[in-house]
Amino acid sequence: SMRRAAQSQAEAVKRLMQNFSVEVSPAQAAIIPDFEKVPKLAPGTRVNVTAIEASGTSAAVEVVRRLHQAGMVPVPHLACRSFVSMDAVEQYLEQITAAGAAHVLLLGGGTSASGTVTDTWQILKSGLLQKYGVRNVGTAAHPEGHAHQLEAQALSNIVDKAVWAEENGLKLHFETQFCFDPAVVLGWEGMAAGAFATRLKGEAPEVRLGVAGPARLVDLIKFAASAGVGPSLRVLTQNPKNVAQLAYATPGEILGAVAYPASARGHGDKSPTTTSRTATGAAPVDMDQSGEGRTTKRLIRGVHLFSFGGFEQTVRWAAEAAETGSLS
């Protein structure tokens, strides 16, 4: 029944949103007097701290300290190519771990290197993460392809990292670039699940789906263009509903579709999307006897929200979705 499908979707959304993480920039943090007083921001929430420019690292370190003191789990960005040398990387690691970080998000960071640090492998293999007690490392995945890599190459790159992390006892997870098109995400998830299964001994790492929190469409278009995720914006702009309310968009649609893919909707659902989704290789979803989808084999087991529309507004929306499964 439709009502039952809606309930199942709400449950799936709640499950996926349980441990959502959210992004804050030093500029946004500067206008938040106290992270403990941000409505609905629960202690223990992972908060990524952007630090794109090497010049911005001291601001990021200060935000890490504040988040740690407020009981959050700070996850500072480490954008490799913005560091002039491995010494500079080490200095930054020393500062962020002293400020309370035990997680980092490793990113390439820009197209041209500032110095001798050219990619995330250098940092992974340097031993510095272990030296400073960073046991939890996130790195980027690009379901829509990567501006500087072919799709197959981008996929084998993340599988290589997962294999390396497994062999070296590092806890690795992936965060996707923000996406708007569920079909692209589910197709990529299926391909990645297959690739991990053939090469890993243990469980595949968690993938956190990156989505843009509620924001004005005009801001999203600007960010999507600069991040190279233009193609999936079609999903937003082609939807006549959105053009009517060009002002504002939430990630409800993609979260609903990814949390509860058509392939999980039990045997009663013979809609054409079921077959086309499965054909793109959507990840296998175990069915228990009732036909409810269980997310045992899913790679996508969490959500990361980019807060283009403001930090507090993003947190409020995400907490509401995690509590109720409602996506409006």
Side-chain angles (χ1 to χ4, degrees):
S1 72
M2 300 232 5
R3 194 160 137 243
R4 171 137 180 222
Q7 276 173 343
S8 302
Q9 184 186 42
E11 287 306 315
V13 167
K14 282 202 293 205
R15 209 164 37 224
L16 189 62
M17 288 294 292
Q18 269 325 293
N19 302 308
F20 70 83
S21 55
V22 63
E23 187 114 335
V24 73
S25 67
Q28 285 174 328
I31 56 172
I32 299 168
D34 185 351
F35 281 104
E36 285 181 73
K37 295 199 168 72
V38 173
K40 303 272 189 194
L41 184 62
T45 302
R46 280 197 233 184
V47 183
N48 290 12
V49 181
T50 60
I52 306 301
E53 298 304 318
S55 59
T57 57
S58 57
V61 172
E62 185 45 40
V63 179
V64 167
R65 184 176 291 112
R66 290 183 54 202
L67 286 165
H68 177 65
Q69 285 168 349
M72 305 304 152
V73 176
V75 186
H77 284 191
L78 201 170
C80 307
R81 286 184 279 273
S82 62
F83 290 89
V84 291
S85 65
M86 289 302 287
D87 284 347
V89 171
E90 176 157 16
Q91 196 183 355
Y92 178 61
L93 280 168
E94 199 174 1
Q95 292 170 342
I96 58 178
T97 52
H103 294 52
V104 297
L105 184 68
L106 273 188
L107 301 168
T111 44
S112 56
S114 317
T116 54
V117 189
T118 55
D119 78 352
T120 50
W121 278 112
Q122 266 168 288
I123 293 175
L124 283 173
K125 292 181 172 175
S126 67
L128 288 174
L129 297 170
Q130 290 92 328
K131 176 177 175 181
Y132 288 95
V134 175
R135 303 236 52 72
N136 218 303
V137 179
T139 188
H142 299 84
E144 288 198 48
H146 187 292
H148 318 294
Q149 285 181 335
L150 298 169
E151 191 173 12
Q153 186 194 348
L155 188 58
S156 74
N157 191 10
I158 73 166
V159 179
D160 290 345
K161 283 177 184 158
V163 170
W164 185 88
E166 186 176 70
E167 288 167 356
N168 289 274
L170 209 65
K171 191 162 166 52
L172 186 71
H173 74 276
F174 294 97
E175 295 191 4
T176 75
Q177 176 55 283
F178 62 99
C179 268
F180 300 103
D181 186 341
V184 168
V185 170
L186 291 166
W188 175 87
E189 182 185 25
M191 284 192 315
F196 282 134
T198 53
R199 296 204 32 217
L200 289 173
K201 296 184 183 69
E203 197 189 16
E206 175 185 64
V207 174
R208 296 176 85 77
L209 174 67
V211 296
R216 295 185 317 161
L217 209 52
V218 25
D219 293 334
L220 290 181
I221 289 166
K222 197 170 66 192
F223 281 107
S226 68
V229 296
S232 75
L233 261 179
R234 287 192 312 270
V235 176
L236 282 188
T237 50
Q238 279 175 359
N239 182 336
K241 195 173 75 199
N242 286 338
V243 182
Q245 350 158 317
L246 255 175
Y248 199 69
T250 79
E253 216 153 307
I254 183 167
L255 282 178
V258 171
Y260 191 56
S263 58
R265 294 181 186 190
H267 314 288
D269 181 351
K270 293 284 177 274
S271 67
T273 53
T274 312
T275 48
S276 64
R277 280 269 167 73
T278 315
T280 63
V285 175
D286 277 3
M287 295 293 176
D288 62 25
Q289 293 315 299
S290 63
E292 297 283 304
R294 282 211 314 270
T295 48
T296 40
K297 291 181 186 157
R298 295 287 304 267
L299 291 184
I300 296 175
R301 302 196 284 277
V303 176
H304 175 68
L305 291 105
F306 294 92
S307 51
F308 306 131
F311 182 76
E312 303 206 2
Q313 172 175 303
T314 302
V315 168
R316 196 177 314 124
W317 190 92
E320 185 78 12
E323 278 166 37
T324 65
S326 155
L327 292 169
S328 48

